[in-house]
Amino acid sequence: MKQKLDQLVDLTIRIAKLEPWKYLSEYDLIEVFSQNNEMVYYCSILGYSELTYGIAVFEGLDGYADFKTTFENPGPVPEDFLFGDIKCLVCFMYEEELDNDQTGLYCDELDSYIYYASMEKRFLPFALTEKEVDELLEVYDLLYKTIYHYLINDEINPDFEIGQMLRIMNNKISVSKPIPVEKEYGQMFIDDEYKEELILLDRVEEEIYVDLMYTYMPVDEELSYGKLLNPLMFYIMDENFDILELEFVPVEEEEVCFVFDIVMDYIEKNGIPKSIHCRNPYVREALKDSCEKLNIELTYDTFPDIQPDLKYMN
């Protein structure tokens, strides 16, 4: 493993010496096909608009959808949630060592610390597995070739503004077309029988605010998962943004199912509210059908954050 990590550092140095962040923003994707064309990766170069240099690698079309949702079309959902809800392999380069549990690899040639991490929804970033190191060795090698040829060849000129990408496939550098893909959230529906039960409930002049939020509070579940949980919190607030309900979403449960069950239970106990406000697409898809059938106004927009002492629970 150490020998492979050393090789990965060498490849990272080669890419960094090209200073790709001077020419590519985090929105300018590079599409990398594995040598056998069985897998495709979408690489984002970090550092064009901020001081943190790095590389983010998203796997497959699901990864591409994660990228587009997080970087291109975030909507009203807070950034903290977005970055807790994606799957990718990241490399960051810092001039100073980070003050946390991660260990950086100091690199004399870059005068920086290099951090590699695997990001996965519902978990805090964790160290790369050997399989992931093998993946990055192949991706970084192809990524270096792509960036190098892009910088020296004026004929390779993708229009990133319309979603074109740099592509390397079968060791050939080209420009690929935009891909129409959207992140899947799932959706919940109420049947006619349940609808008839609910419409008999009292209607109340109440507006509620419903949201999901990652707490970034490490939970040691290594015996079960081999990595630290990033607990996902679901809550309902009233018009004064006071907490009415607060639950943690179990790892094994789908977000839309959990949200639907809790909100329907709340409605059964308290009556049908005038409106429900949400800013998270999982919540929107969980409640869209029931709100339409129960004549509840469902708004998808920004609203004040949860209290800081609850947002980051230590």
Side-chain angles (χ1 to χ4, degrees):
M1 180 71 165
K2 183 182 183 305
Q3 183 179 2
K4 291 180 178 180
L5 269 175
D6 289 341
Q7 293 173 2
L8 185 59
V9 170
D10 289 342
L11 278 171
T12 305
I13 291 170
R14 293 180 68 193
I15 294 171
K17 285 186 173 180
L18 294 176
E19 298 183 301
W21 41 80
K22 289 186 175 181
Y23 316 97
L24 298 165
S25 80
E26 56 266 34
Y27 306 105
D28 302 338
L29 282 186
I30 301 172
E31 188 179 40
V32 174
F33 284 83
S34 61
Q35 294 288 7
N36 55 17
N37 291 334
E38 290 184 357
M39 184 53 67
V40 59
Y41 301 89
Y42 297 90
C43 303
S44 171
I45 302 298
L46 311 176
Y48 182 84
S49 57
E50 53 189 66
L51 296 176
T52 302
Y53 302 120
I55 305 166
V57 176
F58 299 82
E59 181 180 309
L61 289 179
D62 287 341
Y64 179 69
D66 271 351
F67 168 83
K68 289 184 71 65
T69 301
T70 304
F71 288 91
E72 291 188 354
N73 305 304
V77 62
E79 187 178 272
D80 281 355
F81 180 88
L82 291 171
F83 283 97
D85 205 58
I86 60 175
K87 178 177 175 57
C88 68
L89 303 177
V90 294
C91 164
F92 294 112
M93 289 164 254
Y94 296 98
E95 291 184 1
E96 298 180 359
E97 192 165 13
L98 294 181
D99 185 21
N100 60 20
D101 294 334
Q102 285 184 287
T103 302
L105 304 169
Y106 182 73
C107 173
D108 286 318
E109 292 189 64
L110 299 179
D111 192 23
S112 297
Y113 290 90
I114 302 176
Y115 291 84
Y116 299 100
S118 180
M119 296 179 67
E120 183 178 340
K121 63 181 293 184
R122 303 291 192 93
F123 296 96
L124 292 172
F126 51 92
L128 301 180
T129 64
E130 186 167 0
K131 180 178 179 293
E132 290 171 333
V133 172
D134 288 337
E135 283 185 281
L136 286 187
L137 283 172
E138 181 176 14
V139 172
Y140 279 23
D141 180 55
L142 295 167
L143 183 61
Y144 171 80
K145 294 175 182 176
T146 308
I147 295 171
Y148 176 79
H149 284 284
Y150 169 68
L151 295 179
I152 66 171
N153 190 341
D154 292 336
E155 295 181 4
I156 302 173
N157 191 26
D159 188 345
F160 294 115
E161 293 294 327
I162 65 169
Q164 291 182 348
M165 293 174 277
L166 277 170
R167 169 191 282 177
I168 182 165
M169 185 178 187
N170 298 323
N171 283 314
K172 294 181 179 178
I173 317 297
S174 62
V175 174
S176 67
K177 298 178 180 179
I179 302 173
V181 65
E182 293 185 4
K183 188 167 181 174
E184 297 288 335
Y185 297 100
Q187 193 173 353
M188 295 298 294
F189 299 89
I190 58 172
D191 58 30
D192 291 338
E193 183 178 351
Y194 188 38
K195 173 189 172 183
E196 293 305 315
E197 290 180 23
L198 291 172
I199 60 176
L200 297 176
L201 298 171
D202 292 335
R203 291 191 171 270
V204 293
E205 287 296 313
E206 181 184 37
E207 295 185 43
I208 59 174
Y209 293 77
V210 181
D211 199 25
L212 287 162
M213 179 171 291
Y214 284 103
T215 65
Y216 294 90
M217 172 187 68
V219 174
D220 192 348
E221 291 283 355
E222 294 197 19
L223 290 178
S224 302
Y225 306 104
K227 46 203 170 189
L228 295 174
L229 286 177
N230 183 7
L232 180 60
M233 184 169 63
F234 171 73
Y235 61 93
I236 301 174
M237 299 190 295
D238 64 16
E239 297 175 32
N240 298 316
F241 305 109
D242 292 324
I243 300 295
L244 301 174
E245 298 270 350
L246 191 151
E247 300 280 348
F248 286 95
V249 185
V251 175
E252 62 275 6
E253 288 206 36
E254 295 290 336
E255 295 88 346
V256 291
C257 298
F258 189 86
V259 169
F260 178 83
D261 289 343
I262 299 296
V263 173
M264 290 302 107
D265 183 64
Y266 178 87
I267 288 175
E268 288 178 21
K269 292 177 180 176
N270 298 281
I272 301 173
K274 179 175 65 176
S275 62
I276 297 177
H277 303 267
C278 69
R279 59 181 183 181
N280 187 293
Y282 289 111
V283 177
R284 178 192 62 201
E285 297 307 315
L287 302 179
K288 187 162 57 176
D289 179 70
S290 53
C291 284
E292 181 178 331
K293 290 176 179 175
L294 297 175
N295 196 27
I296 301 171
E297 181 185 4
L298 179 65
T299 65
Y300 182 61
D301 204 351
T302 57
F303 54 78
D305 215 342
I306 195 171
Q307 294 94 321
D309 57 329
L310 285 174
K311 182 177 178 182
Y312 296 104
M313 302 174 68
N314 294 313

